[in-house]
Amino acid sequence: MKKEIILTQECNREIRAISDTMEILSGKWKIQIIATLIIHGKMRFMELKKTTNGIGAKKLSKDLEELEINKLITRTVMNTKPITVEYEITPYGRKMEYLIHKITEWGIQHREYIFKENS
């Protein structure tokens, strides 16, 4: 007989919040982009491309657009010739700093654990 699992309203709320967060941060690059902007402040597109090793211009552009839609970064077009575009973390996006720090901390510990287990 299959056991029926009933989730509480609070549990459903938390699972939905996790799902929303994962959707916003999905993919290989968004967390790296956010972390780079938190660490370095305002950056131009090509600076971001260089510091996010391996990302293509098209993917970076798409991810930046999605992060801007979600109000985590701002995009400022400078009145220069040629036109310069700068990206910056928003105060709302900066709220992710603690999460980024915890992900970094866990990643370092995980790498050490895996290498220790395999040696």
Side-chain angles (χ1 to χ4, degrees):
M1 184 158 71
K2 189 175 179 179
K3 181 180 171 183
E4 185 177 341
I5 298 173
I6 300 172
L7 298 177
T8 65
Q9 197 171 18
E10 181 61 23
C11 185
N12 278 328
R13 180 177 169 269
E14 289 176 5
I15 290 170
R16 190 172 49 248
I18 291 168
S19 178
D20 290 346
T21 303
M22 295 308 295
E23 187 174 326
I24 291 166
L25 300 176
S26 68
K28 182 176 178 180
W29 304 107
K30 288 181 186 167
I31 292 174
Q32 291 181 52
I33 294 166
I34 292 167
T36 300
L37 289 172
I38 286 172
I39 293 165
H40 297 288
K42 285 183 189 176
M43 294 183 79
R44 294 179 182 174
F45 184 87
M46 289 310 290
E47 293 171 328
L48 267 169
K49 188 173 179 313
K50 286 177 189 170
T51 57
T52 310
N53 286 338
I55 193 168
K58 191 174 181 178
K59 178 63 175 160
L60 177 58
S61 181
K62 182 180 181 294
D63 283 359
L64 287 167
E65 183 180 342
E66 289 176 14
L67 291 170
E68 184 181 13
I69 288 168
N70 283 290
K71 312 246 185 265
L72 299 174
I73 66 166
T74 57
R75 177 181 186 270
T76 305
V77 179
M78 309 303 285
N79 191 16
T80 59
K81 291 189 182 186
I83 290 177
T84 306
V85 179
E86 288 184 336
Y87 296 90
E88 184 176 20
I89 198 82
T90 62
Y92 179 65
R94 192 161 288 283
K95 290 182 178 186
M96 297 198 68
E97 194 164 0
Y98 178 78
L99 176 62
I100 299 290
H101 174 73
K102 287 300 180 186
I103 289 170
T104 303
E105 195 175 86
W106 186 86
I108 290 167
Q109 291 172 1
H110 179 67
R111 179 175 284 269
E112 289 170 357
Y113 174 76
I114 293 299
F115 282 124
K116 189 168 112 180
E117 287 290 314
N118 290 328
S119 54

